[in-house]
mmCIF file of all heavy atoms in Angstrom:
data_model
loop_
_atom_site.group_PDB
_atom_site.id
_atom_site.type_symbol
_atom_site.label_atom_id
_atom_site.label_comp_id
_atom_site.label_asym_id
_atom_site.label_seq_id
_atom_site.Cartn_x
_atom_site.Cartn_y
_atom_site.Cartn_z
ATOM 1 N N LEU A 1271 -23.128 18.663 -4.204
ATOM 2 C CA LEU A 1271 -22.032 17.867 -4.753
ATOM 3 C C LEU A 1271 -21.729 16.638 -3.899
ATOM 4 O O LEU A 1271 -21.276 15.615 -4.425
ATOM 5 C CB LEU A 1271 -20.769 18.733 -4.872
ATOM 6 C CG LEU A 1271 -19.540 18.070 -5.503
ATOM 7 C CD1 LEU A 1271 -19.838 17.622 -6.941
ATOM 8 C CD2 LEU A 1271 -18.343 19.032 -5.482
ATOM 9 N N SER A 1272 -21.985 16.722 -2.610
ATOM 10 C CA SER A 1272 -21.635 15.622 -1.711
ATOM 11 C C SER A 1272 -22.223 14.284 -2.150
ATOM 12 O O SER A 1272 -21.478 13.296 -2.295
ATOM 13 C CB SER A 1272 -22.058 15.957 -0.278
ATOM 14 O OG SER A 1272 -21.762 14.885 0.588
ATOM 15 N N PRO A 1273 -23.534 14.164 -2.381
ATOM 16 C CA PRO A 1273 -24.055 12.860 -2.813
ATOM 17 C C PRO A 1273 -23.540 12.437 -4.190
ATOM 18 O O PRO A 1273 -23.388 11.232 -4.454
ATOM 19 C CB PRO A 1273 -25.581 13.069 -2.837
ATOM 20 C CG PRO A 1273 -25.781 14.548 -2.920
ATOM 21 C CD PRO A 1273 -24.627 15.156 -2.197
ATOM 22 N N ILE A 1274 -23.234 13.398 -5.044
ATOM 23 C CA ILE A 1274 -22.656 13.053 -6.348
ATOM 24 C C ILE A 1274 -21.257 12.484 -6.161
ATOM 25 O O ILE A 1274 -20.885 11.488 -6.801
ATOM 26 C CB ILE A 1274 -22.622 14.285 -7.269
ATOM 27 C CG1 ILE A 1274 -24.047 14.747 -7.577
ATOM 28 C CG2 ILE A 1274 -21.857 13.991 -8.555
ATOM 29 C CD1 ILE A 1274 -24.120 16.055 -8.353
ATOM 30 N N ALA A 1275 -20.476 13.091 -5.281
ATOM 31 C CA ALA A 1275 -19.127 12.592 -5.001
ATOM 32 C C ALA A 1275 -19.185 11.169 -4.461
ATOM 33 O O ALA A 1275 -18.319 10.332 -4.784
ATOM 34 C CB ALA A 1275 -18.425 13.513 -4.012
ATOM 35 N N ILE A 1276 -20.181 10.873 -3.649
ATOM 36 C CA ILE A 1276 -20.335 9.517 -3.121
ATOM 37 C C ILE A 1276 -20.699 8.549 -4.239
ATOM 38 O O ILE A 1276 -20.163 7.430 -4.322
ATOM 39 C CB ILE A 1276 -21.385 9.494 -1.992
ATOM 40 C CG1 ILE A 1276 -20.889 10.319 -0.793
ATOM 41 C CG2 ILE A 1276 -21.678 8.058 -1.549
ATOM 42 C CD1 ILE A 1276 -21.930 10.548 0.273
ATOM 43 N N GLU A 1277 -21.591 8.967 -5.124
ATOM 44 C CA GLU A 1277 -21.931 8.134 -6.284
ATOM 45 C C GLU A 1277 -20.682 7.825 -7.120
ATOM 46 O O GLU A 1277 -20.456 6.672 -7.510
ATOM 47 C CB GLU A 1277 -22.955 8.849 -7.162
ATOM 48 C CG GLU A 1277 -24.369 8.897 -6.615
ATOM 49 C CD GLU A 1277 -25.313 9.621 -7.558
ATOM 50 O OE1 GLU A 1277 -24.996 10.743 -7.994
ATOM 51 O OE2 GLU A 1277 -26.365 9.038 -7.874
ATOM 52 N N LEU A 1278 -19.880 8.846 -7.380
ATOM 53 C CA LEU A 1278 -18.673 8.643 -8.183
ATOM 54 C C LEU A 1278 -17.695 7.734 -7.455
ATOM 55 O O LEU A 1278 -17.008 6.914 -8.074
ATOM 56 C CB LEU A 1278 -18.015 9.985 -8.495
ATOM 57 C CG LEU A 1278 -18.839 10.999 -9.293
ATOM 58 C CD1 LEU A 1278 -17.979 12.192 -9.690
ATOM 59 C CD2 LEU A 1278 -19.462 10.366 -10.522
ATOM 60 N N ASN A 1279 -17.602 7.891 -6.139
ATOM 61 C CA ASN A 1279 -16.732 7.026 -5.345
ATOM 62 C C ASN A 1279 -17.146 5.568 -5.499
ATOM 63 O O ASN A 1279 -16.304 4.687 -5.763
ATOM 64 C CB ASN A 1279 -16.790 7.462 -3.882
ATOM 65 C CG ASN A 1279 -16.123 6.476 -2.935
ATOM 66 O OD1 ASN A 1279 -16.769 5.563 -2.443
ATOM 67 N ND2 ASN A 1279 -14.839 6.680 -2.682
ATOM 68 N N HIS A 1280 -18.421 5.279 -5.365
ATOM 69 C CA HIS A 1280 -18.887 3.890 -5.455
ATOM 70 C C HIS A 1280 -18.698 3.330 -6.864
ATOM 71 O O HIS A 1280 -18.264 2.180 -7.028
ATOM 72 C CB HIS A 1280 -20.361 3.817 -5.060
ATOM 73 C CG HIS A 1280 -20.615 4.113 -3.616
ATOM 74 N ND1 HIS A 1280 -21.879 4.264 -3.086
ATOM 75 C CD2 HIS A 1280 -19.765 4.295 -2.571
ATOM 76 C CE1 HIS A 1280 -21.797 4.509 -1.798
ATOM 77 N NE2 HIS A 1280 -20.525 4.558 -1.464
ATOM 78 N N ILE A 1281 -19.004 4.134 -7.871
ATOM 79 C CA ILE A 1281 -18.819 3.675 -9.252
ATOM 80 C C ILE A 1281 -17.339 3.421 -9.526
ATOM 81 O O ILE A 1281 -16.963 2.414 -10.149
ATOM 82 C CB ILE A 1281 -19.392 4.707 -10.241
ATOM 83 C CG1 ILE A 1281 -20.915 4.726 -10.134
ATOM 84 C CG2 ILE A 1281 -18.955 4.403 -11.681
ATOM 85 C CD1 ILE A 1281 -21.579 5.883 -10.859
ATOM 86 N N GLY A 1282 -16.490 4.309 -9.032
ATOM 87 C CA GLY A 1282 -15.054 4.124 -9.228
ATOM 88 C C GLY A 1282 -14.534 2.866 -8.569
ATOM 89 O O GLY A 1282 -13.708 2.139 -9.145
ATOM 90 N N GLN A 1283 -14.996 2.569 -7.364
ATOM 91 C CA GLN A 1283 -14.560 1.362 -6.675
ATOM 92 C C GLN A 1283 -14.997 0.116 -7.448
ATOM 93 O O GLN A 1283 -14.199 -0.794 -7.685
ATOM 94 C CB GLN A 1283 -15.163 1.323 -5.266
ATOM 95 C CG GLN A 1283 -14.802 2.498 -4.370
ATOM 96 C CD GLN A 1283 -13.391 2.424 -3.866
ATOM 97 O OE1 GLN A 1283 -12.959 1.399 -3.372
ATOM 98 N NE2 GLN A 1283 -12.652 3.503 -3.984
ATOM 99 N N TYR A 1284 -16.276 0.080 -7.842
ATOM 100 C CA TYR A 1284 -16.798 -1.097 -8.538
ATOM 101 C C TYR A 1284 -16.152 -1.259 -9.910
ATOM 102 O O TYR A 1284 -16.055 -2.373 -10.429
ATOM 103 C CB TYR A 1284 -18.311 -0.989 -8.681
ATOM 104 C CG TYR A 1284 -18.988 -2.276 -9.103
ATOM 105 C CD1 TYR A 1284 -19.354 -3.221 -8.153
ATOM 106 C CD2 TYR A 1284 -19.267 -2.533 -10.447
ATOM 107 C CE1 TYR A 1284 -19.972 -4.405 -8.532
ATOM 108 C CE2 TYR A 1284 -19.887 -3.707 -10.836
ATOM 109 C CZ TYR A 1284 -20.238 -4.646 -9.874
ATOM 110 O OH TYR A 1284 -20.853 -5.824 -10.263
ATOM 111 N N SER A 1285 -15.690 -0.174 -10.483
ATOM 112 C CA SER A 1285 -15.083 -0.237 -11.812
ATOM 113 C C SER A 1285 -13.826 -1.086 -11.827
ATOM 114 O O SER A 1285 -13.613 -1.871 -12.759
ATOM 115 C CB SER A 1285 -14.743 1.167 -12.316
ATOM 116 O OG SER A 1285 -15.899 1.950 -12.483
ATOM 117 N N PHE A 1286 -12.992 -0.921 -10.812
ATOM 118 C CA PHE A 1286 -11.678 -1.569 -10.913
ATOM 119 C C PHE A 1286 -11.549 -2.857 -10.112
ATOM 120 O O PHE A 1286 -10.760 -3.740 -10.480
ATOM 121 C CB PHE A 1286 -10.569 -0.585 -10.506
ATOM 122 C CG PHE A 1286 -10.290 -0.505 -9.034
ATOM 123 C CD1 PHE A 1286 -9.366 -1.347 -8.430
ATOM 124 C CD2 PHE A 1286 -10.947 0.428 -8.242
ATOM 125 C CE1 PHE A 1286 -9.112 -1.262 -7.078
ATOM 126 C CE2 PHE A 1286 -10.694 0.520 -6.888
ATOM 127 C CZ PHE A 1286 -9.771 -0.339 -6.293
ATOM 128 N N ILE A 1287 -12.295 -3.025 -9.023
ATOM 129 C CA ILE A 1287 -11.996 -4.164 -8.159
ATOM 130 C C ILE A 1287 -12.337 -5.534 -8.766
ATOM 131 O O ILE A 1287 -11.594 -6.490 -8.512
ATOM 132 C CB ILE A 1287 -12.593 -4.007 -6.741
ATOM 133 C CG1 ILE A 1287 -14.097 -3.826 -6.756
ATOM 134 C CG2 ILE A 1287 -11.935 -2.866 -6.009
ATOM 135 C CD1 ILE A 1287 -14.683 -3.660 -5.350
ATOM 136 N N PRO A 1288 -13.395 -5.704 -9.586
ATOM 137 C CA PRO A 1288 -13.582 -7.043 -10.162
ATOM 138 C C PRO A 1288 -12.398 -7.480 -11.030
ATOM 139 O O PRO A 1288 -11.952 -8.631 -10.952
ATOM 140 C CB PRO A 1288 -14.861 -6.891 -11.001
ATOM 141 C CG PRO A 1288 -15.591 -5.753 -10.388
ATOM 142 C CD PRO A 1288 -14.507 -4.794 -9.947
ATOM 143 N N GLU A 1289 -11.878 -6.558 -11.844
ATOM 144 C CA GLU A 1289 -10.814 -6.934 -12.775
ATOM 145 C C GLU A 1289 -9.550 -7.368 -12.053
ATOM 146 O O GLU A 1289 -8.815 -8.226 -12.549
ATOM 147 C CB GLU A 1289 -10.516 -5.776 -13.726
ATOM 148 C CG GLU A 1289 -9.569 -6.179 -14.849
ATOM 149 C CD GLU A 1289 -9.335 -5.068 -15.836
ATOM 150 O OE1 GLU A 1289 -9.300 -3.891 -15.431
ATOM 151 O OE2 GLU A 1289 -9.165 -5.370 -17.029
ATOM 152 N N THR A 1290 -9.275 -6.817 -10.882
ATOM 153 C CA THR A 1290 -8.042 -7.200 -10.183
ATOM 154 C C THR A 1290 -8.073 -8.642 -9.706
ATOM 155 O O THR A 1290 -7.032 -9.205 -9.382
ATOM 156 C CB THR A 1290 -7.780 -6.271 -8.979
ATOM 157 O OG1 THR A 1290 -8.867 -6.363 -8.051
ATOM 158 C CG2 THR A 1290 -7.606 -4.828 -9.429
ATOM 159 N N THR A 1291 -9.265 -9.244 -9.662
ATOM 160 C CA THR A 1291 -9.331 -10.656 -9.285
ATOM 161 C C THR A 1291 -9.002 -11.575 -10.446
ATOM 162 O O THR A 1291 -8.647 -12.733 -10.230
ATOM 163 C CB THR A 1291 -10.729 -11.032 -8.752
ATOM 164 O OG1 THR A 1291 -11.693 -10.907 -9.807
ATOM 165 C CG2 THR A 1291 -11.124 -10.137 -7.584
ATOM 166 N N ASP A 1292 -9.129 -11.081 -11.679
ATOM 167 C CA ASP A 1292 -8.856 -11.931 -12.841
ATOM 168 C C ASP A 1292 -8.730 -11.066 -14.091
ATOM 169 O O ASP A 1292 -9.732 -10.687 -14.705
ATOM 170 C CB ASP A 1292 -9.973 -12.959 -13.026
ATOM 171 C CG ASP A 1292 -9.659 -13.986 -14.110
ATOM 172 O OD1 ASP A 1292 -8.599 -13.867 -14.757
ATOM 173 O OD2 ASP A 1292 -10.472 -14.910 -14.299
ATOM 174 N N PHE A 1293 -7.514 -10.756 -14.471
ATOM 175 C CA PHE A 1293 -7.271 -9.916 -15.639
ATOM 176 C C PHE A 1293 -7.520 -10.655 -16.954
ATOM 177 O O PHE A 1293 -7.415 -10.056 -18.020
ATOM 178 C CB PHE A 1293 -5.845 -9.363 -15.605
ATOM 179 C CG PHE A 1293 -5.694 -8.168 -14.709
ATOM 180 C CD1 PHE A 1293 -5.251 -8.318 -13.403
ATOM 181 C CD2 PHE A 1293 -5.985 -6.896 -15.150
ATOM 182 C CE1 PHE A 1293 -5.112 -7.222 -12.559
ATOM 183 C CE2 PHE A 1293 -5.855 -5.796 -14.329
ATOM 184 C CZ PHE A 1293 -5.421 -5.956 -13.027
#
Side-chain angles (χ1 to χ4, degrees):
L1271 183 60
S1272 178
I1274 296 173
I1276 295 171
E1277 286 180 310
L1278 299 188
N1279 170 270
H1280 292 172
I1281 291 169
Q1283 301 286 311
Y1284 193 86
S1285 296
F1286 85 89
I1287 58 180
E1289 189 177 35
T1290 61
T1291 65
D1292 187 357
F1293 279 96

